[in-house]
Amino acid sequence: MSSPAPHPISLPFSDKYDQAHAQAYFRKHRNSLARRLSHLRDEQMARRALRLADDPTLVLDLPCGAGRFWPVLAEQPNRVIIAGDNSADMLAVARSNHPASLLRRVSPLKTSAFDIDLPERAVDCVFCMRLLHHIGDAGHRLAMLREFHRVTRDTVILSLWVDGNYKAWRRARLERERKTGAYQNRFVIPAQTVEQEFREAGFDILGHTDFLPRYAMWRVYTLRRSA
Amino acid sequence: MSASQPTPAFQRHGLASRIVIAFTLMATTVAGLFSVGVILAIGMAEQELVTEGMSRQLDFVIASGEDSASRQLSAGLHLYRSGAPGDPPLPAWLQGYGPGFHEIIHDGVEYETLFSEHGPTRYVLLLDQEDFERHERTTFLIVGAGFLLSALTALVLGLLTARRVIAPVVRLAGQVQHRDQLLPLAPPLAPDYPADEVGQLAAAFDSTLGQLRQALQRETLFTSDVSHELRTPLMVIASSCELLLEELPVGSREHTQLLRLHRSCGEMRELIETFLWLARGASGRNPLASDTTLAAVAEEQRERWAQEAAQRGLAFHLEGAAAHPDAPHYPAPLLRAVMSNLLRNALHYTDRGSVRLTLHADGFDVADTGAGIPEAERLDIFRPFIRGSTSRGDGIGLGLSLVQRICSQQGWQVSLEANPGGGCLFRVNLQPR
């Protein structure tokens, strides 16, 4: 029996989401045309990943942020969403920004992704958008993946930044030019490395979708618990 | 699936591949039969047409006049005549045939040949089969292509159908796995599927899982209710005992009996804790604190049981490691429950001789010199409500099952062997591997 780590992992970026920040975050994805287009593509990738995961019916959206993906998740009429986030403010903002008909199917849960407050195999799918690229430490990533493995009954959908594309190459070059050891809170993880980590945590890779193949860094993976 | 029993070949394929195989087999059989039929029919029809045409042509040639000596009538059609005045004799390779149709190969060319006799005159009509063969080849090619195409179409259709038919079943099977652990707020399965056979199956699963969940909930509620409701009266008994103990003179018979009552009360409270802990299930979220050592519990149990053993005329031995400062710690109520149940069991089933409690670094043994348990019954003995064939007394057979459940939850190992000196030997390993 694995007992949770004595000191749950807490990363500095998770403290910044207060009420104002959360509202700003919600508006961020709907102000410019480019953002809207990118959001549409995000939704499309999420839809594809959900289909690949056999349309799970009990989904833990973690971190749910401003509930950006709730409308997509709610497209399947028989789906119940557990909205998990480390920030109570974020959860409150998310709930204030969506219609009551949708909120009926969303249960909020304030929890850390490293120590999810749910029993084993409690949900069909852990839906984790835009979190993994904040986690640069392989040990932390593995701890989180193991926690996902514990909580999910079947699948995990997650998005992250991978290498092997123009943006990642440019980012690496800029970093070399700057040569600063400044604090970073977003990381590109080599696809090979992260896929090895998925397997190590006990997952099979069902498939992945790139935001814009060979150009953009975003990639959505769909994983299933190994038999 | 067990490896010892080989599965029949037809069961080794999944439903999907069986559908594909059936589709393809059926299509190839039907298309094959049709192809053979078409080829036979075309062949026969063409043969019929050729012979009929040749007969008519020859009749026409003969009727049209006597000047029709040997010549080429049209491309691929030759006429030979012999017997009439001035006619050369027939070439050697055309001689020796009777009237009627013959197939003759000359210089690598196949001819359909019609021999006919009109009095002394012999007519031979030769049709070069080259064209006919070419036609036949084309026909074969077309029929063969049609056959392959239909087999291929069947394969594709089979794959598509299989995927369409099987996908919901596969998805449902995936959704049902470990579903009892899913949060209760999970939506039912049935609305995900159309109201066909798969939908009915999903609805059946929903209702079964609902019943299962209810039963589990009832059990958990029952145990926690019972445990909770028993606590209060036990507290009353315990506090009354304490009050009485202070009033009675130490050493009197009443005092001793009251002391036993008080101790039993404490044990009962601990047992309730254990039951509650077991009822909460393997969630493992609130493990009991490891607060005691093996030696401490053993000493306590010796105090408890030695007197009863003496009353029954049995010797009670406690052997093994003395208290060690850095000995591993275990949850007291659980270890106590395991040890006392095993000891009670041993004392209960032993008429003469001894009960021996031996401590090791990683566990303990309880050995008795009782009747022992036949080997066939040794595995069953840990199931609830089962007692050996030599059962006796008022025990209701739950003790050893409780031992087994505590051990499996704690990751301990309990086993039963025959005691070399007769009787039973229960071995508990607190640190397997």
Side-chain angles (χ1 to χ4, degrees):
Chain A
M1 224 174 286
S2 66
S3 55
H7 298 289
I9 300 162
S10 169
L11 300 179
F13 73 86
S14 60
D15 296 332
K16 68 176 182 179
Y17 297 106
D18 59 4
Q19 196 95 22
H21 196 105
Q23 271 296 358
Y25 184 76
F26 177 73
R27 280 195 298 270
K28 175 179 138 183
H29 285 283
R30 29 178 75 197
N31 47 19
S32 77
L33 179 69
R35 285 249 188 247
R36 275 175 200 224
L37 280 176
S38 123
H39 178 57
L40 281 180
R41 174 64 179 155
D42 279 343
E43 290 194 327
Q44 196 185 22
M45 294 202 295
R47 247 177 240 124
R48 192 171 296 173
L50 286 165
R51 212 175 315 128
L52 201 60
D54 269 344
D55 290 318
T57 50
L58 182 60
V59 176
L60 170 64
D61 183 12
L62 178 80
C64 68
R68 194 154 76 88
F69 287 96
W70 292 355
V72 177
L73 288 170
E75 277 167 10
Q76 217 258 52
N78 188 35
R79 182 173 286 150
V80 170
I81 303 155
I82 301 175
D85 206 292
N86 204 18
S87 145
D89 286 328
M90 206 68 175
L91 281 169
V93 167
R95 287 186 69 77
S96 66
N97 281 324
H98 290 279
S101 58
L102 181 78
L103 291 179
R104 265 201 301 278
R105 291 164 58 192
V106 179
S107 325
L109 173 75
K110 185 191 170 310
T111 187
S112 156
F114 293 103
D115 183 21
I116 302 171
D117 192 11
L118 288 175
E120 280 166 42
R121 301 191 198 234
V123 296
D124 284 325
C125 176
V126 177
F127 182 83
C128 174
M129 286 292 140
R130 305 211 163 183
L131 175 65
L132 209 58
H133 70 301
H134 280 304
I135 303 170
D137 184 90
H140 290 170
R141 277 201 300 274
L142 209 58
M144 196 180 78
L145 287 171
R146 292 232 162 90
E147 186 64 1
F148 286 178
H149 189 273
R150 182 183 72 81
V151 167
T152 188
R153 190 187 63 80
D154 193 28
T155 51
V156 168
I157 293 170
L158 41 80
S159 73
L160 72 157
W161 280 354
V162 292
D163 65 348
N165 48 60
Y166 168 72
K167 284 270 201 171
W169 170 79
R170 208 184 60 164
R171 189 179 164 84
R173 201 191 56 178
L174 282 176
E175 255 165 40
R176 265 201 310 278
E177 278 170 9
R178 266 191 248 131
K179 277 192 183 143
T180 49
Y183 166 71
Q184 270 190 329
N185 77 351
R186 297 188 296 178
F187 308 88
V188 179
I189 308 162
Q192 220 174 356
T193 311
V194 83
E195 288 181 11
Q196 182 56 40
E197 287 171 5
F198 292 156
R199 277 186 281 270
E200 206 172 312
F203 290 109
D204 292 333
I205 298 164
L206 291 184
H208 64 76
T209 315
D210 285 317
F211 187 91
L212 238 169
R214 300 270 156 215
Y215 176 77
M217 297 186 284
W218 280 114
R219 175 177 282 185
V220 174
Y221 275 100
T222 306
L223 315 175
R224 171 164 280 152
R225 280 177 77 118
S226 308
Chain B
M1 229 170 279
S2 68
S4 57
Q5 273 189 331
T7 47
F10 68 91
Q11 283 184 2
R12 249 180 262 141
H13 299 287
L15 279 180
S17 51
R18 269 193 263 176
I19 289 180
V20 174
I21 290 171
F23 252 76
T24 319
L25 264 184
M26 200 177 76
T28 40
T29 316
V30 171
L33 282 177
F34 262 99
S35 311
V36 172
V38 165
I39 287 169
L40 283 180
I42 288 179
M44 272 158 66
E46 269 191 342
Q47 195 66 37
E48 199 88 343
L49 282 174
V50 165
T51 50
E52 177 125 6
M54 281 174 74
S55 307
R56 253 193 247 140
Q57 183 91 33
L58 190 62
D59 289 345
F60 175 75
V61 167
I62 294 167
S64 66
E66 291 298 306
D67 60 332
S68 46
S70 299
R71 66 196 158 98
Q72 181 157 12
L73 295 176
S74 65
L77 195 63
H78 298 268
L79 179 72
Y80 287 97
R81 192 180 69 179
S82 72
D87 280 349
L90 280 178
W93 55 278
L94 283 177
Q95 281 176 8
Y97 291 96
F101 285 98
H102 297 276
E103 283 202 356
I104 295 170
I105 297 172
H106 177 64
D107 285 349
V109 182
E110 201 183 330
Y111 296 100
E112 184 74 34
T113 324
L114 176 57
F115 289 87
S116 184
E117 286 177 8
H118 274 253
T121 322
R122 293 194 77 185
Y123 293 92
V124 181
L125 192 62
L126 284 163
L127 177 67
D128 188 342
Q129 290 281 65
E130 198 67 10
D131 278 1
F132 180 67
E133 297 275 307
R134 214 174 46 239
H135 278 154
E136 214 168 45
R137 272 201 297 276
T138 319
T139 316
F140 281 157
L141 217 67
I142 290 172
V143 171
F147 172 76
L148 280 182
L149 199 71
S150 55
L152 215 68
T153 316
L155 187 72
V156 172
L157 272 179
L159 281 172
L160 287 178
T161 314
R163 191 173 298 171
R164 254 188 99 76
V165 170
I166 299 303
V169 180
V170 172
R171 178 168 175 240
L172 183 59
Q175 282 182 316
V176 170
Q177 266 180 6
H178 300 291
R179 197 166 183 83
D180 54 321
Q181 293 181 35
L182 215 53
L183 292 184
L185 62 89
L189 296 167
D192 264 15
Y193 298 90
D196 54 8
E197 287 84 348
V198 181
Q200 288 170 16
L201 193 61
F205 275 130
D206 279 336
S207 98
T208 312
L209 285 167
Q211 285 168 7
L212 181 70
R213 206 158 256 165
Q214 274 181 0
L216 284 175
Q217 201 182 8
R218 264 204 306 275
E219 194 209 325
T220 314
L221 282 179
F222 172 77
T223 319
S224 55
D225 278 352
V226 166
S227 306
H228 188 255
E229 293 303 313
L230 282 179
R231 264 187 198 159
T232 323
L234 267 180
M235 286 297 271
V236 175
I237 297 174
S239 53
S240 305
C241 278
E242 272 165 30
L243 285 177
L244 275 175
L245 277 173
E246 281 175 18
E247 289 176 14
L248 287 171
V250 180
S252 68
R253 212 166 71 92
E254 288 85 353
H255 188 273
T256 321
Q257 284 184 344
L258 208 55
L259 209 59
R260 280 177 64 193
L261 203 65
H262 187 240
R263 207 182 299 139
S264 295
C265 218
E267 278 163 17
M268 221 189 236
R269 222 176 28 232
E270 264 189 4
L271 268 180
I272 285 172
E273 286 302 317
T274 310
F275 284 136
L276 259 180
W277 175 78
L278 282 173
R280 268 187 230 118
S283 61
R285 284 255 142 182
N286 301 306
L288 293 175
S290 297
D291 50 3
T292 191
T293 60
L294 186 56
V297 174
E299 184 55 37
E300 196 184 284
Q301 292 297 313
R302 189 180 65 86
E303 268 171 39
R304 178 178 168 189
W305 297 105
Q307 198 184 353
E308 191 176 331
Q311 276 170 9
R312 297 173 60 104
L314 300 172
F316 185 92
H317 305 287
L318 169 58
E319 295 174 350
H324 209 269
D326 53 345
H329 282 63
Y330 305 99
L334 305 182
L335 187 56
R336 205 172 287 147
V338 168
M339 200 181 279
S340 70
N341 269 297
L342 289 178
L343 286 172
R344 183 192 294 130
N345 185 70
L347 288 169
H348 200 83
Y349 283 95
T350 308
D351 288 328
R352 67 178 72 83
S354 64
V355 169
R356 191 175 299 270
L357 172 61
T358 316
L359 305 186
H360 306 289
D362 60 349
F364 63 93
D365 297 344
V366 176
D368 63 49
T369 55
I373 294 170
E375 192 164 0
E377 289 178 29
R378 276 186 209 149
L379 274 179
D380 282 344
I381 207 78
F382 290 110
R383 299 216 317 256
F385 300 110
I386 287 203
R387 285 185 288 160
S389 49
T390 53
S391 64
R392 58 169 78 178
D394 52 354
I396 53 164
L398 275 174
L400 290 182
S401 135
L402 182 67
V403 168
Q404 171 83 324
R405 279 165 66 204
I406 292 175
C407 286
S408 74
Q409 287 238 339
Q410 282 292 304
W412 300 342
Q413 266 175 8
V414 56
S415 58
L416 168 58
E417 297 162 21
N419 193 5
C424 293
L425 175 65
F426 285 93
R427 202 176 277 274
V428 177
N429 188 350
L430 301 173
Q431 290 163 345
R433 268 180 294 129

